[in-house]
Short mmCIF file of all heavy atoms in Angstrom, two decimals:
data_model
loop_
_atom_site.label_atom_id
_atom_site.label_comp_id
_atom_site.label_asym_id
_atom_site.label_seq_id
_atom_site.Cartn_x
_atom_site.Cartn_y
_atom_site.Cartn_z
N ILE A 125 18.66 26.54 6.40
CA ILE A 125 18.98 25.11 6.49
C ILE A 125 20.38 25.08 7.21
O ILE A 125 20.63 24.17 8.09
CB ILE A 125 19.20 24.52 5.11
CG1 ILE A 125 17.87 24.44 4.40
CG2 ILE A 125 19.93 23.23 5.03
CD1 ILE A 125 17.89 23.91 2.93
N LYS A 126 21.18 25.97 7.04
CA LYS A 126 22.51 26.14 7.63
C LYS A 126 22.43 26.15 9.22
O LYS A 126 23.03 25.41 9.97
CB LYS A 126 23.27 27.34 7.18
CG LYS A 126 24.69 26.95 6.77
CD LYS A 126 25.21 28.15 5.89
CE LYS A 126 26.73 28.44 6.26
NZ LYS A 126 27.11 29.72 5.55
N VAL A 127 21.53 27.12 9.63
CA VAL A 127 21.29 27.27 11.15
C VAL A 127 20.76 25.97 11.74
O VAL A 127 21.21 25.52 12.72
CB VAL A 127 20.37 28.54 11.42
CG1 VAL A 127 20.12 28.56 12.85
CG2 VAL A 127 21.09 29.76 10.93
N PHE A 128 19.78 25.43 11.12
CA PHE A 128 19.08 24.25 11.51
C PHE A 128 20.15 23.05 11.59
O PHE A 128 20.28 22.36 12.61
CB PHE A 128 17.94 23.96 10.63
CG PHE A 128 17.09 22.75 11.10
CD1 PHE A 128 16.46 22.85 12.22
CD2 PHE A 128 17.10 21.57 10.49
CE1 PHE A 128 15.59 21.84 12.71
CE2 PHE A 128 16.30 20.44 10.91
CZ PHE A 128 15.54 20.62 12.03
N ASP A 129 20.86 22.98 10.52
CA ASP A 129 22.01 21.91 10.46
C ASP A 129 22.91 22.09 11.62
O ASP A 129 23.41 21.09 12.18
CB ASP A 129 22.66 22.10 9.07
CG ASP A 129 23.53 20.95 8.69
OD1 ASP A 129 23.45 19.91 9.41
OD2 ASP A 129 24.40 21.10 7.80
N GLU A 130 23.31 23.38 11.86
CA GLU A 130 24.28 23.55 12.91
C GLU A 130 23.72 23.15 14.24
O GLU A 130 24.35 22.45 15.12
CB GLU A 130 24.69 25.05 12.96
CG GLU A 130 25.76 25.43 12.02
CD GLU A 130 25.85 26.95 11.93
OE1 GLU A 130 25.52 27.65 12.91
OE2 GLU A 130 26.18 27.51 10.85
N GLU A 131 22.50 23.50 14.45
CA GLU A 131 21.89 23.14 15.75
C GLU A 131 21.82 21.50 15.82
O GLU A 131 22.07 21.02 16.97
CB GLU A 131 20.50 23.69 15.90
CG GLU A 131 20.52 25.26 16.13
CD GLU A 131 21.34 25.68 17.27
OE1 GLU A 131 21.20 25.01 18.43
OE2 GLU A 131 22.17 26.62 17.18
N ALA A 132 21.33 20.91 14.74
CA ALA A 132 21.12 19.57 14.70
C ALA A 132 22.43 18.82 14.98
O ALA A 132 22.48 17.76 15.77
CB ALA A 132 20.56 19.01 13.41
N SER A 133 23.55 19.31 14.42
CA SER A 133 24.89 18.59 14.66
C SER A 133 25.41 18.69 16.10
O SER A 133 26.28 18.02 16.45
CB SER A 133 25.85 19.09 13.64
OG SER A 133 26.07 20.41 13.78
N LYS A 134 24.72 19.69 16.87
CA LYS A 134 25.22 19.70 18.19
C LYS A 134 24.52 18.74 19.10
O LYS A 134 24.90 18.55 20.24
CB LYS A 134 24.80 21.15 18.81
CG LYS A 134 25.62 22.25 18.30
CD LYS A 134 25.26 23.51 19.06
CE LYS A 134 25.56 24.75 18.18
NZ LYS A 134 24.63 25.92 18.56
N LEU A 135 23.49 18.13 18.58
CA LEU A 135 22.62 17.22 19.37
C LEU A 135 23.17 15.73 19.12
O LEU A 135 23.63 15.46 18.07
CB LEU A 135 21.23 17.21 18.90
CG LEU A 135 20.53 18.62 19.06
CD1 LEU A 135 19.24 18.65 18.29
CD2 LEU A 135 20.27 18.91 20.55
N GLU A 136 22.90 15.04 20.18
CA GLU A 136 23.38 13.56 19.97
C GLU A 136 22.20 12.69 20.06
O GLU A 136 21.11 12.92 20.77
CB GLU A 136 24.30 13.21 21.14
CG GLU A 136 25.63 14.02 20.98
CD GLU A 136 26.81 13.50 21.81
OE1 GLU A 136 26.48 12.71 22.72
OE2 GLU A 136 27.87 13.88 21.59
N GLY A 137 22.27 11.62 19.40
CA GLY A 137 21.31 10.50 19.48
C GLY A 137 19.96 10.76 18.76
O GLY A 137 18.97 10.26 19.13
N ILE A 138 19.94 11.67 17.81
CA ILE A 138 18.79 11.90 17.07
C ILE A 138 18.64 10.87 15.92
O ILE A 138 19.54 10.79 15.17
CB ILE A 138 18.72 13.24 16.43
CG1 ILE A 138 18.97 14.48 17.38
CG2 ILE A 138 17.50 13.51 15.61
CD1 ILE A 138 17.83 14.88 18.26
N SER A 139 17.51 10.24 15.87
CA SER A 139 17.29 9.18 14.77
C SER A 139 16.24 9.55 13.78
O SER A 139 16.13 9.06 12.69
CB SER A 139 16.78 7.85 15.54
OG SER A 139 17.66 7.59 16.60
N PHE A 140 15.26 10.50 14.19
CA PHE A 140 14.20 10.71 13.33
C PHE A 140 14.04 12.31 13.16
O PHE A 140 14.42 13.09 14.03
CB PHE A 140 12.93 10.25 14.10
CG PHE A 140 12.80 8.80 14.26
CD1 PHE A 140 13.33 8.22 15.42
CD2 PHE A 140 12.19 8.08 13.26
CE1 PHE A 140 13.25 6.74 15.47
CE2 PHE A 140 12.12 6.64 13.38
CZ PHE A 140 12.57 5.98 14.46
N LEU A 141 13.43 12.66 12.09
CA LEU A 141 13.13 14.03 11.71
C LEU A 141 11.65 14.09 11.50
O LEU A 141 11.09 13.40 10.70
CB LEU A 141 13.92 14.51 10.49
CG LEU A 141 13.63 15.96 10.19
CD1 LEU A 141 14.56 16.78 11.08
CD2 LEU A 141 13.92 16.18 8.68
N ALA A 142 10.95 14.90 12.29
CA ALA A 142 9.51 15.05 12.06
C ALA A 142 9.25 16.22 11.16
O ALA A 142 9.99 17.23 11.22
CB ALA A 142 8.85 15.36 13.50
N GLN A 143 8.20 16.12 10.39
CA GLN A 143 7.97 17.19 9.39
C GLN A 143 6.42 17.43 9.36
O GLN A 143 5.72 16.52 9.47
CB GLN A 143 8.47 16.92 8.02
CG GLN A 143 9.89 16.95 7.95
CD GLN A 143 10.41 16.92 6.48
OE1 GLN A 143 11.39 17.56 6.16
NE2 GLN A 143 9.66 16.23 5.52
#
Side-chain angles (χ1 to χ4, degrees):
I125 294 179
K126 230 164 138 184
V127 174
F128 186 68
D129 192 10
E130 280 170 23
E131 289 307 315
S133 59
K134 287 184 206 160
L135 301 168
E136 291 194 350
I138 302 279
S139 313
F140 295 88
L141 185 79
Q143 291 196 145

